[in-house]
Amino acid sequence: MSAVNEKKVAALAAVKYVKSGMTVGLGTGSTAFYMIEAIGEMVQNGMEIKAVATSNETEKLATRLGINVITLAEAKRLDVTIDGADEVDENFQLIKGGGGALLREKIVAHNSDLNIIIADASKSVSKLGKFKLPIETIPFATQLIINELNDMGLSPVQRMNGNDHYKTDENNDIVDIDIWDCDMELTELERHLKTIPGIVETGLFLTTTNLVIIGKGDEAIVKNR
C-alpha cells in the first residue's frame, strides 16, 4: 500500500477527534495536508471550529478551505492539535522539523490539551535518528553553533533552499544533525543542545504526544500513551 494512502488513512482517523466548538491546532507537512483537507470538508458541511496554524503554509491552506484561523494568543488554549512526524518511536518520542516548522509546532503542542500524531507506517521506528534532527538557530550565531555541533561529532549541515540558506517562518536558520550514533540519552541531548546560545529549538518532541495514529495499509493503528 502506498505511503500516500497510509497518510490519508491516518488523517481521516484523527479528524474523528475534532468536534464542533473546538479550538484545533493544525500541523504542517504532507500528512497534515490530508488532515486539513478533511477538516475543511467538515467545516463546509457545517462544523464550527477555530484553528491555529503551525506555519504560514498551513494557514494559507486552511484559510482557502474556509477554516477560521486565529492566533495562538486569541486561542489561549487548544483542545486538540493534529500534526505529523518525521519519525516516531515506541515511547511516543518524535523527530519533527523536516518541513521547517518545528518551533511553532512545539509551541502549539505545548499549549494543547490533546496532541495527536499522524504518520504513514514508514515513520514508525524502533530508534530515532535515521532522519536527521533539525535544529532552529538564530542566523547571528549559526556558524558558531555549527562549529560547536561539529566538535560534538554531530555532523551538522546548514539547510539550503537552492543557493540560499533555508529560512523558517520566523526567519531563522535550520541546521540538520546526525544523532544516530550519539551516546547521549535523548533527554540529555535535548537539554544540552538547548544550553547552546543561539539554538532556538530542536526537533526532538519527547513528552508532548498523547496519541499516535499510524496508517498501515488500509488500517489506522491507534496507540494511546
Side-chain angles (χ1 to χ4, degrees):
M1 192 62 61
S2 73
V4 168
N5 184 73
E6 292 181 342
K7 291 175 181 183
K8 291 179 179 178
V9 167
L12 291 176
V15 298
K16 294 176 182 177
Y17 291 84
V18 178
K19 307 298 181 185
S20 197
M22 283 186 169
T23 305
V24 182
L26 303 178
T28 296
S30 59
T31 309
F33 169 84
Y34 297 109
M35 172 270 298
I36 297 165
E37 274 200 331
I39 290 178
E41 185 173 341
M42 292 160 70
V43 167
Q44 290 162 22
N45 289 330
M47 186 179 72
E48 295 184 4
I49 66 161
K50 295 178 181 178
V52 173
T54 56
S55 67
N56 294 339
E57 178 184 359
T58 289
E59 182 173 357
K60 289 175 185 175
L61 173 61
T63 301
R64 180 165 58 81
L65 294 173
I67 299 170
N68 180 18
V69 179
I70 62 174
T71 67
L72 183 58
E74 290 171 321
K76 296 178 183 171
R77 190 75 189 167
L78 305 175
D79 296 296
V80 59
T81 289
I82 306 174
D83 204 352
D86 298 299
E87 286 185 342
V88 52
D89 72 12
E90 296 168 356
N91 297 312
F92 292 74
Q93 299 178 130
L94 320 171
I95 285 181
K96 289 175 53 58
L102 60 134
L103 177 57
R104 291 191 188 180
E105 287 173 338
K106 193 170 281 190
I107 292 169
V108 169
H110 178 74
N111 290 283
S112 298
D113 292 333
L114 176 66
N115 281 292
I116 302 174
I117 292 298
I118 53 176
D120 63 87
S122 71
K123 305 299 193 302
S124 181
V125 300
S126 57
K127 175 186 175 183
L128 298 182
K130 284 188 177 180
F131 191 92
K132 300 297 186 289
L133 175 65
I135 306 293
E136 185 158 346
T137 65
I138 297 291
F140 177 76
T142 296
Q143 190 53 56
L144 293 178
I145 291 168
I146 287 173
N147 295 344
E148 191 162 345
L149 295 173
N150 256 322
D151 290 341
M152 293 173 64
L154 297 175
S155 305
V157 176
Q158 184 165 0
R159 190 178 296 183
M160 303 296 290
N161 182 15
N163 295 321
D164 300 320
H165 292 147
Y166 176 91
K167 293 296 180 183
T168 69
D169 287 345
E170 307 302 322
N171 206 36
N172 291 324
D173 295 329
I174 295 283
V175 177
D176 295 299
I177 63 174
D178 185 351
I179 66 168
W180 182 255
D181 292 320
C182 181
D183 57 4
M184 290 187 190
E185 293 290 333
L186 292 176
T187 51
E188 181 187 1
L189 175 63
E190 166 83 346
R191 188 163 50 245
H192 182 80
L193 290 171
K194 297 289 280 289
T195 66
I196 300 174
I199 291 183
V200 181
E201 194 50 86
T202 84
L204 285 172
F205 286 58
L206 303 180
T207 61
T208 55
T209 304
N210 306 108
L211 193 69
V212 172
I213 302 178
I214 301 292
K216 189 172 183 180
D218 287 323
E219 182 183 3
I221 299 173
V222 180
K223 301 178 182 181
N224 286 284
R225 194 178 187 91

